[in-house]
Amino acid sequence: MTDIYEIIGQIAAILTTSSFAPQVYKTWREKSSKGISLAMYVMIFVGVAFWLVYGLHIKSTPIITANIATEIMVIMMLYFKFKYRE
Amino acid sequence: MTDIYEIIGQIAAILTTSSFAPQVYKTWREKSSKGISLAMYVMIFVGVAFWLVYGLHIKSTPIITANIATEIMVIMMLYFKFKYRE
């Protein structure tokens, strides 16, 4: 079950998911979403929902956990995009 | 082979991968990377490389194709982050 590739998948999941954290923090700190693409985050929001369905089907823990966490961050970015629009 | 979940995975891959395109275009057009988090894109760059290894191992076509395309966009964003820094 827990082989090297599952660990690699988990590291991948942790990195790509937590990557949104510095952007969320930066946008919140600067109170500006000027440089942020709304289209990007809308597409990620929908795409991540589809990844979640796929991950549940192939029973891939890294895909499931990564996409739940990513979706939370993406919702925060979408909120900031409107809250801090100029 | 090509069941509904493979199609869902492909749609997920297309959405999350192509989501970087509007951000690449916006940053290029505005010639500014001020609002873009360097930490985010460095983490995505490394994370996507790990996803690629994982995807190759589990032989998931959506994961492999998505991450190759994403990596190209992420490299463009990293280039813009330095080219259009203020």
Side-chain angles (χ1 to χ4, degrees):
Chain A
M1 187 66 108
T2 308
D3 65 6
I4 185 71
Y5 290 101
E6 281 301 309
I7 294 165
I8 286 170
Q10 290 290 359
I11 293 169
I14 290 163
L15 279 168
T16 51
T17 299
S18 53
S19 72
F20 285 91
Q23 183 68 70
V24 167
Y25 175 68
K26 183 183 170 73
T27 305
W28 169 78
R29 192 191 45 179
E30 295 178 356
K31 306 280 183 271
S32 169
S33 63
K34 192 170 175 287
I36 299 302
S37 166
L38 175 62
M40 172 176 171
Y41 286 91
V42 169
M43 288 169 79
I44 290 182
F45 179 81
V46 179
V48 162
F50 275 77
W51 273 125
L52 201 50
V53 173
Y54 179 74
L56 287 165
H57 177 69
I58 67 168
K59 296 182 178 59
S60 167
T61 308
I63 296 175
I64 296 164
T65 52
N67 284 294
I68 290 171
T70 303
E71 205 68 314
I72 293 165
M73 307 267 214
V74 169
I75 290 165
M76 291 175 78
M77 283 304 295
L78 288 170
Y79 173 69
F80 288 163
K81 182 61 192 171
F82 287 98
K83 187 176 166 69
Y84 301 136
R85 70 175 174 274
E86 285 155 315
Chain B
M1 187 64 109
T2 308
D3 65 6
I4 185 71
Y5 290 101
E6 281 302 307
I7 294 166
I8 286 170
Q10 291 288 357
I11 294 169
I14 290 164
L15 279 168
T16 51
T17 299
S18 52
S19 72
F20 286 91
Q23 183 67 70
V24 167
Y25 175 69
K26 184 182 171 74
T27 305
W28 169 78
R29 193 191 45 181
E30 294 178 356
K31 307 279 183 273
S32 169
S33 64
K34 191 170 177 286
I36 299 302
S37 166
L38 175 61
M40 171 176 173
Y41 286 90
V42 169
M43 288 168 79
I44 290 183
F45 179 81
V46 180
V48 162
F50 274 78
W51 272 125
L52 202 50
V53 173
Y54 179 74
L56 286 166
H57 176 68
I58 67 168
K59 295 182 179 60
S60 167
T61 308
I63 295 174
I64 296 165
T65 53
N67 284 294
I68 289 172
T70 303
E71 204 69 313
I72 293 166
M73 307 268 216
V74 169
I75 289 165
M76 290 175 78
M77 283 304 295
L78 288 170
Y79 173 70
F80 288 163
K81 183 61 191 170
F82 287 98
K83 186 176 167 71
Y84 300 136
R85 72 173 174 274
E86 286 154 315

mmCIF file of all heavy atoms in Angstrom, chain B residues 42-67:
data_model
loop_
_atom_site.group_PDB
_atom_site.id
_atom_site.type_symbol
_atom_site.label_atom_id
_atom_site.label_comp_id
_atom_site.label_asym_id
_atom_site.label_seq_id
_atom_site.Cartn_x
_atom_site.Cartn_y
_atom_site.Cartn_z
ATOM 1 N N VAL B 42 7.140 28.481 -7.659
ATOM 2 C CA VAL B 42 8.273 27.581 -7.383
ATOM 3 C C VAL B 42 7.736 26.262 -6.816
ATOM 4 O O VAL B 42 8.153 25.174 -7.237
ATOM 5 C CB VAL B 42 9.291 28.234 -6.419
ATOM 6 C CG1 VAL B 42 10.302 27.211 -5.928
ATOM 7 C CG2 VAL B 42 10.004 29.398 -7.095
ATOM 8 N N MET B 43 6.794 26.363 -5.884
ATOM 9 C CA MET B 43 6.207 25.162 -5.270
ATOM 10 C C MET B 43 5.441 24.337 -6.312
ATOM 11 O O MET B 43 5.513 23.103 -6.313
ATOM 12 C CB MET B 43 5.303 25.541 -4.107
ATOM 13 C CG MET B 43 6.082 26.024 -2.899
ATOM 14 S SD MET B 43 5.027 26.789 -1.652
ATOM 15 C CE MET B 43 4.339 25.327 -0.856
ATOM 16 N N ILE B 44 4.705 25.026 -7.194
ATOM 17 C CA ILE B 44 3.969 24.305 -8.237
ATOM 18 C C ILE B 44 4.949 23.611 -9.176
ATOM 19 O O ILE B 44 4.740 22.457 -9.561
ATOM 20 C CB ILE B 44 3.031 25.253 -9.019
ATOM 21 C CG1 ILE B 44 1.863 25.693 -8.117
ATOM 22 C CG2 ILE B 44 2.492 24.572 -10.284
ATOM 23 C CD1 ILE B 44 0.841 26.573 -8.806
ATOM 24 N N PHE B 45 6.043 24.291 -9.520
ATOM 25 C CA PHE B 45 7.040 23.717 -10.420
ATOM 26 C C PHE B 45 7.576 22.384 -9.874
ATOM 27 O O PHE B 45 7.606 21.373 -10.590
ATOM 28 C CB PHE B 45 8.197 24.708 -10.621
ATOM 29 C CG PHE B 45 9.277 24.176 -11.522
ATOM 30 C CD1 PHE B 45 9.141 24.228 -12.900
ATOM 31 C CD2 PHE B 45 10.432 23.599 -10.995
ATOM 32 C CE1 PHE B 45 10.123 23.720 -13.733
ATOM 33 C CE2 PHE B 45 11.415 23.084 -11.823
ATOM 34 C CZ PHE B 45 11.261 23.150 -13.187
ATOM 35 N N VAL B 46 7.956 22.388 -8.623
ATOM 36 C CA VAL B 46 8.494 21.168 -7.995
ATOM 37 C C VAL B 46 7.380 20.129 -7.821
ATOM 38 O O VAL B 46 7.561 18.949 -8.145
ATOM 39 C CB VAL B 46 9.167 21.481 -6.635
ATOM 40 C CG1 VAL B 46 9.713 20.208 -5.989
ATOM 41 C CG2 VAL B 46 10.290 22.507 -6.809
ATOM 42 N N GLY B 47 6.225 20.577 -7.361
ATOM 43 C CA GLY B 47 5.101 19.677 -7.134
ATOM 44 C C GLY B 47 4.646 18.968 -8.400
ATOM 45 O O GLY B 47 4.369 17.764 -8.389
ATOM 46 N N VAL B 48 4.586 19.726 -9.491
ATOM 47 C CA VAL B 48 4.155 19.159 -10.775
ATOM 48 C C VAL B 48 5.152 18.096 -11.257
ATOM 49 O O VAL B 48 4.747 17.073 -11.819
ATOM 50 C CB VAL B 48 3.942 20.292 -11.816
ATOM 51 C CG1 VAL B 48 3.934 19.763 -13.240
ATOM 52 C CG2 VAL B 48 2.641 21.028 -11.518
ATOM 53 N N ALA B 49 6.432 18.326 -11.007
ATOM 54 C CA ALA B 49 7.457 17.327 -11.362
ATOM 55 C C ALA B 49 7.200 16.015 -10.606
ATOM 56 O O ALA B 49 7.304 14.924 -11.174
ATOM 57 C CB ALA B 49 8.853 17.871 -11.048
ATOM 58 N N PHE B 50 6.813 16.134 -9.344
ATOM 59 C CA PHE B 50 6.499 14.943 -8.530
ATOM 60 C C PHE B 50 5.207 14.271 -9.030
ATOM 61 O O PHE B 50 5.127 13.042 -9.083
ATOM 62 C CB PHE B 50 6.364 15.326 -7.046
ATOM 63 C CG PHE B 50 7.677 15.340 -6.310
ATOM 64 C CD1 PHE B 50 8.562 16.398 -6.443
ATOM 65 C CD2 PHE B 50 8.036 14.290 -5.483
ATOM 66 C CE1 PHE B 50 9.779 16.409 -5.776
ATOM 67 C CE2 PHE B 50 9.255 14.286 -4.801
ATOM 68 C CZ PHE B 50 10.123 15.346 -4.951
ATOM 69 N N TRP B 51 4.206 15.074 -9.390
ATOM 70 C CA TRP B 51 2.957 14.519 -9.941
ATOM 71 C C TRP B 51 3.257 13.714 -11.197
ATOM 72 O O TRP B 51 2.645 12.674 -11.455
ATOM 73 C CB TRP B 51 1.963 15.629 -10.316
ATOM 74 C CG TRP B 51 1.054 16.085 -9.217
ATOM 75 C CD1 TRP B 51 0.903 17.372 -8.787
ATOM 76 C CD2 TRP B 51 0.166 15.289 -8.429
ATOM 77 N NE1 TRP B 51 -0.026 17.407 -7.769
ATOM 78 C CE2 TRP B 51 -0.494 16.156 -7.537
ATOM 79 C CE3 TRP B 51 -0.138 13.921 -8.386
ATOM 80 C CZ2 TRP B 51 -1.436 15.711 -6.607
ATOM 81 C CZ3 TRP B 51 -1.079 13.473 -7.457
ATOM 82 C CH2 TRP B 51 -1.717 14.357 -6.594
ATOM 83 N N LEU B 52 4.200 14.226 -11.986
ATOM 84 C CA LEU B 52 4.567 13.560 -13.243
ATOM 85 C C LEU B 52 5.146 12.167 -12.973
ATOM 86 O O LEU B 52 4.765 11.185 -13.616
ATOM 87 C CB LEU B 52 5.570 14.444 -13.994
ATOM 88 C CG LEU B 52 5.699 14.244 -15.495
ATOM 89 C CD1 LEU B 52 4.357 14.247 -16.206
ATOM 90 C CD2 LEU B 52 6.591 15.340 -16.069
ATOM 91 N N VAL B 53 6.022 12.084 -11.988
ATOM 92 C CA VAL B 53 6.608 10.791 -11.601
ATOM 93 C C VAL B 53 5.500 9.844 -11.119
ATOM 94 O O VAL B 53 5.440 8.675 -11.526
ATOM 95 C CB VAL B 53 7.675 10.988 -10.484
ATOM 96 C CG1 VAL B 53 8.163 9.634 -9.954
ATOM 97 C CG2 VAL B 53 8.848 11.815 -11.015
ATOM 98 N N TYR B 54 4.599 10.392 -10.288
ATOM 99 C CA TYR B 54 3.482 9.598 -9.762
ATOM 100 C C TYR B 54 2.562 9.129 -10.890
ATOM 101 O O TYR B 54 2.188 7.956 -10.952
ATOM 102 C CB TYR B 54 2.702 10.438 -8.742
ATOM 103 C CG TYR B 54 1.503 9.735 -8.130
ATOM 104 C CD1 TYR B 54 1.670 8.735 -7.170
ATOM 105 C CD2 TYR B 54 0.208 10.082 -8.496
ATOM 106 C CE1 TYR B 54 0.573 8.101 -6.600
ATOM 107 C CE2 TYR B 54 -0.892 9.457 -7.930
ATOM 108 C CZ TYR B 54 -0.708 8.464 -6.980
ATOM 109 O OH TYR B 54 -1.787 7.844 -6.421
ATOM 110 N N GLY B 55 2.237 10.042 -11.785
ATOM 111 C CA GLY B 55 1.351 9.730 -12.911
ATOM 112 C C GLY B 55 1.932 8.675 -13.839
ATOM 113 O O GLY B 55 1.214 7.795 -14.330
ATOM 114 N N LEU B 56 3.232 8.758 -14.077
ATOM 115 C CA LEU B 56 3.905 7.762 -14.924
ATOM 116 C C LEU B 56 3.827 6.388 -14.262
ATOM 117 O O LEU B 56 3.620 5.376 -14.931
ATOM 118 C CB LEU B 56 5.367 8.166 -15.167
ATOM 119 C CG LEU B 56 5.560 9.337 -16.143
ATOM 120 C CD1 LEU B 56 6.988 9.891 -16.052
ATOM 121 C CD2 LEU B 56 5.264 8.911 -17.587
ATOM 122 N N HIS B 57 3.977 6.379 -12.932
ATOM 123 C CA HIS B 57 3.954 5.110 -12.209
ATOM 124 C C HIS B 57 2.568 4.458 -12.242
ATOM 125 O O HIS B 57 2.462 3.251 -12.492
ATOM 126 C CB HIS B 57 4.407 5.312 -10.764
ATOM 127 C CG HIS B 57 4.319 4.049 -9.947
ATOM 128 N ND1 HIS B 57 5.139 2.968 -10.179
ATOM 129 C CD2 HIS B 57 3.497 3.694 -8.932
ATOM 130 C CE1 HIS B 57 4.819 1.995 -9.328
ATOM 131 N NE2 HIS B 57 3.829 2.418 -8.562
ATOM 132 N N ILE B 58 1.529 5.254 -11.981
ATOM 133 C CA ILE B 58 0.179 4.672 -11.970
ATOM 134 C C ILE B 58 -0.426 4.648 -13.383
ATOM 135 O O ILE B 58 -1.580 4.268 -13.570
ATOM 136 C CB ILE B 58 -0.782 5.361 -10.949
ATOM 137 C CG1 ILE B 58 -1.109 6.812 -11.358
ATOM 138 C CG2 ILE B 58 -0.235 5.305 -9.531
ATOM 139 C CD1 ILE B 58 -2.267 7.419 -10.563
ATOM 140 N N LYS B 59 0.376 5.080 -14.368
ATOM 141 C CA LYS B 59 -0.026 5.067 -15.784
ATOM 142 C C LYS B 59 -1.352 5.794 -16.005
ATOM 143 O O LYS B 59 -2.262 5.280 -16.671
ATOM 144 C CB LYS B 59 -0.108 3.631 -16.309
ATOM 145 C CG LYS B 59 1.237 2.913 -16.329
ATOM 146 C CD LYS B 59 1.123 1.518 -16.904
ATOM 147 C CE LYS B 59 2.464 0.805 -16.959
ATOM 148 N NZ LYS B 59 3.087 0.648 -15.603
ATOM 149 N N SER B 60 -1.457 6.982 -15.406
ATOM 150 C CA SER B 60 -2.669 7.792 -15.562
ATOM 151 C C SER B 60 -2.431 8.849 -16.641
ATOM 152 O O SER B 60 -1.728 9.835 -16.407
ATOM 153 C CB SER B 60 -3.033 8.455 -14.234
ATOM 154 O OG SER B 60 -4.008 9.462 -14.461
ATOM 155 N N THR B 61 -3.030 8.631 -17.795
ATOM 156 C CA THR B 61 -2.862 9.569 -18.915
ATOM 157 C C THR B 61 -3.254 10.999 -18.547
ATOM 158 O O THR B 61 -2.509 11.925 -18.874
ATOM 159 C CB THR B 61 -3.648 9.081 -20.148
ATOM 160 O OG1 THR B 61 -3.279 7.724 -20.400
ATOM 161 C CG2 THR B 61 -3.340 9.921 -21.381
ATOM 162 N N PRO B 62 -4.409 11.220 -17.850
ATOM 163 C CA PRO B 62 -4.746 12.602 -17.492
ATOM 164 C C PRO B 62 -3.670 13.269 -16.633
ATOM 165 O O PRO B 62 -3.336 14.424 -16.849
ATOM 166 C CB PRO B 62 -6.050 12.461 -16.694
ATOM 167 C CG PRO B 62 -6.627 11.160 -17.118
ATOM 168 C CD PRO B 62 -5.474 10.281 -17.441
ATOM 169 N N ILE B 63 -3.147 12.535 -15.674
ATOM 170 C CA ILE B 63 -2.139 13.121 -14.775
ATOM 171 C C ILE B 63 -0.855 13.447 -15.549
ATOM 172 O O ILE B 63 -0.268 14.515 -15.378
ATOM 173 C CB ILE B 63 -1.847 12.173 -13.576
ATOM 174 C CG1 ILE B 63 -3.116 12.040 -12.712
ATOM 175 C CG2 ILE B 63 -0.687 12.712 -12.723
ATOM 176 C CD1 ILE B 63 -2.999 11.030 -11.586
ATOM 177 N N ILE B 64 -0.450 12.547 -16.422
ATOM 178 C CA ILE B 64 0.794 12.747 -17.195
ATOM 179 C C ILE B 64 0.663 13.953 -18.132
ATOM 180 O O ILE B 64 1.480 14.875 -18.084
ATOM 181 C CB ILE B 64 1.156 11.473 -17.991
ATOM 182 C CG1 ILE B 64 1.475 10.312 -17.035
ATOM 183 C CG2 ILE B 64 2.348 11.748 -18.928
ATOM 184 C CD1 ILE B 64 1.483 8.945 -17.697
ATOM 185 N N THR B 65 -0.378 13.949 -18.961
ATOM 186 C CA THR B 65 -0.528 15.027 -19.952
ATOM 187 C C THR B 65 -0.753 16.376 -19.256
ATOM 188 O O THR B 65 -0.160 17.382 -19.654
ATOM 189 C CB THR B 65 -1.702 14.742 -20.911
ATOM 190 O OG1 THR B 65 -2.875 14.467 -20.154
ATOM 191 C CG2 THR B 65 -1.397 13.555 -21.806
ATOM 192 N N ALA B 66 -1.587 16.385 -18.206
ATOM 193 C CA ALA B 66 -1.878 17.634 -17.495
ATOM 194 C C ALA B 66 -0.609 18.249 -16.928
ATOM 195 O O ALA B 66 -0.386 19.451 -17.026
ATOM 196 C CB ALA B 66 -2.875 17.384 -16.370
ATOM 197 N N ASN B 67 0.230 17.396 -16.347
ATOM 198 C CA ASN B 67 1.391 17.934 -15.651
ATOM 199 C C ASN B 67 2.498 18.374 -16.594
ATOM 200 O O ASN B 67 3.241 19.305 -16.275
ATOM 201 C CB ASN B 67 1.873 16.938 -14.596
ATOM 202 C CG ASN B 67 0.954 16.960 -13.385
ATOM 203 O OD1 ASN B 67 0.887 17.951 -12.682
ATOM 204 N ND2 ASN B 67 0.200 15.894 -13.175
#
